[in-house]
Amino acid sequence: MYQATSVIELRQYIQHWKNHGKSIAFIPTMGNLHQGHISLIEKGQSLCDHTICSIFVNPMQFGPNEDFNHYPRTLERDIVQLEAIGCDLIYLPAASELYPDGLEKITQVQVTDLTGIFEGAHRPGHFTGVATIVLKLLNIVRPDVSIFGKKDFQQYRVISKMVEDLNLEVDIIGAETTREPNGLATSSRNQYLSDDQKELASLINRTLKESAASITAGENTFDKLEQRAIERLNQAGFETDYFCVCNVETLEPASPEDRRLVILVTARLGETRLLDNIEIDLG
Ligand code: PAF
């Protein structure tokens, strides 16, 4: 596996591949890789000739009360995992190259739509940080496809919208969420859960599945269904931030006429904030 730390170095590898007519899949990450990330690399390998993974803990997407300094950094282990799976190139940019004049002076990418709700409302400025770094990385790498996990469904939609709005020439692919055997969505945050909490956390996925089944069976009073789900989660010991049946495109509360839906949920278990979702296609 090749390693590049500067844009110039990275572009040399990429140019070589492009000169040989090879296609490139790009998976941006913040490291601390787990099975979810590995499945994104595998998806890239199934779609393109070469796969590039970046690891960069992006300071711009952390709020003042979020602990950027304590974000888990496990570079050696990450490299071993990427080598093992046959990733072709790892890009490890330095903050000084991506933000040479600091965060204050960098041009910001604000995706107007989709960002004021859910995670955007909970974490002001977060999606501006995500959109800015993703646009920079896409411009540096210029991949044919770039892959994002659908566990962070709103992030996936925000990036797709940015790419559409700014006419970028890249296919954004949403990859299915990987799960523990009990249904819990794979996440770096799961490492903060005790075994008992992990078992309890599977209730999020069960509640999503049961809610999706009720909607598929014809239930369309979504506010009642949401209320039931929130009560169930809260009674079990969660603090639910939101559980919302949405239109899959706009992420606005779904209406009974909508055919393609997604239920977005975020619930806290102790200190750990868990995100999950389920898509529903009513045909
Ligand atoms: O999902 C992530 O890990 C990050 O938000 C991303 C897309 C790598 C941007 O920093």
Side-chain angles (χ1 to χ4, degrees):
M1 182 171 68
Y2 298 113
Q3 277 191 35
T5 49
S6 70
V7 174
I8 291 186
E9 213 183 339
L10 177 77
R11 283 195 169 149
Q12 280 167 356
Y13 292 114
I14 294 172
Q15 199 51 54
H16 178 76
W17 288 333
K18 290 207 165 161
N19 290 345
H20 287 80
K22 303 293 185 191
S23 57
I24 292 169
F26 174 53
I27 295 96
T29 79
M30 299 210 297
N32 196 225
L33 304 182
H34 51 63
Q35 195 45 44
H37 299 106
I38 300 303
S39 75
L40 304 184
I41 310 280
E42 284 171 341
K43 180 108 191 152
Q45 290 171 327
S46 74
L47 294 172
C48 291
D49 299 313
H50 291 295
T51 302
I52 302 177
C53 174
S54 66
I55 297 184
F56 178 65
V57 184
N58 173 33
M60 196 176 169
Q61 68 190 74
F62 287 78
N65 301 324
E66 297 173 357
D67 213 343
F68 166 70
N69 290 324
H70 287 104
Y71 192 85
R73 287 156 172 91
T74 53
L75 186 56
E76 277 180 28
R77 215 181 61 207
D78 294 346
I79 291 177
V80 170
Q81 291 188 77
L82 291 173
E83 291 262 20
I85 195 187
C87 179
D88 296 292
L89 170 54
I90 177 171
Y91 175 41
L92 301 167
S96 56
E97 192 175 33
L98 293 182
Y99 300 118
D101 300 319
L103 293 181
E104 293 70 30
K105 293 192 180 165
I106 191 85
T107 299
Q108 300 191 344
V109 181
Q110 199 187 340
V111 180
T112 315
D113 202 11
L114 308 173
T115 55
I117 47 178
F118 304 119
E119 290 311 284
H122 191 84
R123 306 174 69 186
H126 169 69
F127 283 123
T128 298
V130 171
T132 303
I133 194 66
V134 171
L135 180 60
K136 280 172 71 72
L137 292 169
L138 290 175
N139 279 333
I140 291 168
V141 177
R142 297 184 168 246
D144 298 281
V145 309
S146 188
I147 303 165
F148 294 83
K150 286 208 270 187
K151 186 182 84 69
D152 295 310
F153 196 85
Q154 190 178 6
Q155 169 173 280
Y156 157 65
R157 288 288 305 122
V158 166
I159 290 165
S160 303
K161 185 72 169 53
M162 172 184 77
V163 163
E164 202 179 299
D165 287 354
L166 301 181
N167 303 90
L168 301 189
E169 254 191 308
V170 57
D171 283 339
I172 299 299
I173 310 280
E176 293 309 322
T177 304
T178 60
R179 297 183 180 280
E180 308 276 331
N182 71 4
L184 172 64
T186 315
S187 164
S188 318
R189 295 180 186 173
N190 295 354
Q191 63 195 312
Y192 304 120
L193 299 173
S194 67
D195 287 347
D196 284 349
Q197 283 179 319
K198 271 193 192 150
E199 211 32 62
L200 182 55
S202 65
L203 184 65
I204 297 180
N205 183 239
R206 281 207 302 284
T207 308
L208 282 171
K209 276 169 122 171
E210 285 169 26
S211 302
S214 303
I215 293 173
T216 308
E219 178 159 7
N220 64 7
T221 46
F222 300 137
D223 49 349
K224 288 201 181 120
L225 177 141
E226 290 163 0
Q227 209 43 51
R228 272 201 325 268
I230 290 170
E231 274 165 23
R232 182 180 184 196
L233 291 171
N234 289 354
Q235 272 166 16
F238 293 89
E239 280 182 72
T240 308
D241 285 341
Y242 53 81
F243 185 104
C244 190
V245 185
C246 304
N247 176 296
V248 82
E249 292 291 326
T250 63
L251 302 188
E252 281 171 8
S255 69
E257 292 74 44
D258 288 332
R259 299 289 85 193
R260 291 187 57 227
L261 313 173
V262 59
I263 308 179
L264 300 178
V265 56
T266 296
R268 276 168 290 144
L269 198 49
E271 296 292 296
T272 312
R273 219 164 154 261
L274 299 167
L275 276 77
D276 205 348
N277 63 78
I278 194 165
E279 285 176 81
I280 307 162
D281 191 344
L282 297 173

